[in-house]
Amino acid sequence: MDFSPVWIGGLCLFGLLIQGSGALVVLSRLMKGAVRRSPLTPQASNSDNLAAVTVVVPSLNEVERIQPCLDGLSQQSYEVREILVVDSNSTDGTREKVLAKAATDPRFRLLTDDPLPQGWVGRPWALNWGFEHSSPDSEWILGVDADTQPQRGMIASVLQAAEEEGFDLVSLSPQFILRSPGEWWLQPALLMTLLFRFDVAGIRQPDQDSVMANGQCFLCRRKVLENVGGYRSAAGSFCDDVTLARNIAKAGYRVGFLDGAKIIKVRMYEGMRETWDEWGRSLDLKDATSRTELWGQLWLLTMVQGLPIPLTMLLFGGIEEGLSNPFLSGWLDLNVFLLLVRFGMLLAISGSYDRQFSVGKSAWLFWLSPFADPFAVARIFLSARQKPKAWRGRVYS
């Protein structure tokens, strides 16, 4: 007796159920976006926030990227009390660029942190150094990465949003600057691994147990940082921004993640290879996530991002070859639906990319990034199994 139709039907039903459950999780998160806060826009200064902010910029050999950050911070208004660039003994001319800016804007100060202690990662160590050497009169501490390009009115805007929403900590998603064809194809697929796992930026009532954060622009009340011991709870984390944000949320403070594409830009990595190696190394967020949660997220990514393209091709081929089964058709319909959702999300995040720096006409590859999804999911799996041994010019034991 030929049981193949029964076997095929059972397999398709199983696949439909397990993949459908992942689709429901994603859809429930995306539905929250219907009432999210609109992207932040540059704002005029508010006299109530006079000298309210200390900006801390960690740096290590950033001479090729730091100038737009220094220029952008210099354009911020009187909310800024001081701008502390904490440099870890750069040897490439970074320090000279900071000193040149300090000569024209007295708010800038160049600090040199002590050698990295055992158990610390370089970035949280530099941020903590800046926090501990900041003016006690600053109500807010703003961490900004050296590869960002703050736009005029950024700090006024994020301060206003934090106060309106009642956040004790708020970070921003930026607008990405991509150049090479490989970046345009791969980077949006890697970004999508975050969008499938967590609430989208701008959610007014984010899930505080799995809140998202971005250290490229990370504003926190001074008293909150003091109460949680500064950056120490994220000392050894390679995703210190998310780790610290979740620790602060667990301590009972309100944490938000907003869309800042109109007020801050970032050029993170040079080329497809560096994007794969460096960003892919931290996107699993394993340092901020329990092992059970991590593998649950990997399952979800596999169901809703990694499999839809290959399964659509496979199932459509089966129907073309004459296989007839209602569960097979339903499974195919589900994967086509997931692909439509994926392309819809691509349209929704298109504003998060600055196309003026694209090499040639390579920006069109952004629209083909869903075909990089299986590789992006595979990269998260690879990263989840390994602890980084090198990061931003440092080697860790």
Side-chain angles (χ1 to χ4, degrees), residues 163-303:
E163 291 166 350
E164 288 178 353
E165 301 292 343
F167 290 135
D168 299 295
L169 184 161
V170 61
S171 62
L172 304 181
S173 64
Q175 185 177 67
F176 297 98
I177 298 173
L178 307 182
R179 292 198 176 106
S180 70
E183 292 176 72
W184 279 105
W185 184 67
L186 176 64
Q187 198 270 8
L190 290 171
L191 176 64
M192 203 62 65
T193 66
L194 296 173
L195 300 182
F196 277 123
R197 285 182 286 165
F198 307 109
D199 290 336
V200 297
I203 298 298
R204 294 185 182 275
Q205 297 293 330
D207 181 358
Q208 297 291 290
D209 292 328
S210 58
V211 70
M212 187 55 190
N214 178 24
Q216 292 163 341
C217 184
F218 192 93
L219 180 74
C220 188
R221 295 185 188 273
R222 166 180 288 279
K223 66 179 182 180
V224 173
L225 276 177
E226 290 174 343
N227 291 343
V228 300
Y231 292 79
R232 287 180 176 80
S233 66
S237 174
F238 287 92
C239 56
D240 58 278
D241 44 8
V242 179
T243 300
L244 182 60
R246 293 181 181 179
N247 288 339
I248 288 175
K250 290 174 183 176
Y253 299 102
R254 288 204 68 218
V255 176
F257 181 56
L258 303 178
D259 187 341
K262 295 182 179 180
I263 58 175
I264 186 168
K265 301 181 181 184
V266 63
R267 171 70 177 153
M268 292 174 62
Y269 301 112
E270 298 292 333
M272 180 179 179
R273 178 60 184 270
E274 190 173 330
T275 301
W276 173 271
D277 288 341
E278 298 295 331
W279 202 28
R281 189 179 297 163
S282 63
L283 280 176
D284 58 87
L285 305 182
K286 57 179 172 288
D287 292 345
T289 309
S290 71
R291 191 167 183 82
T292 300
E293 290 172 325
L294 176 60
W295 285 103
Q297 292 171 10
L298 291 174
W299 164 81
L300 180 64
L301 284 179
T302 302
M303 294 299 105

Side-chain angles (χ1 to χ4, degrees), residues 115-138:
L116 192 65
Q118 184 71 26
W120 281 82
V121 173
R123 186 173 178 280
W125 170 248
L127 287 167
N128 196 68
W129 186 270
F131 166 60
E132 292 185 342
H133 289 79
S134 63
S135 169
D137 295 323
S138 293

Side-chain angles (χ1 to χ4, degrees), residues 148-163:
T148 61
Q149 300 181 14
Q151 306 299 295
R152 189 185 299 272
M154 180 197 78
I155 294 180
S157 178
V158 69
L159 271 177
Q160 177 180 308
E163 291 166 350

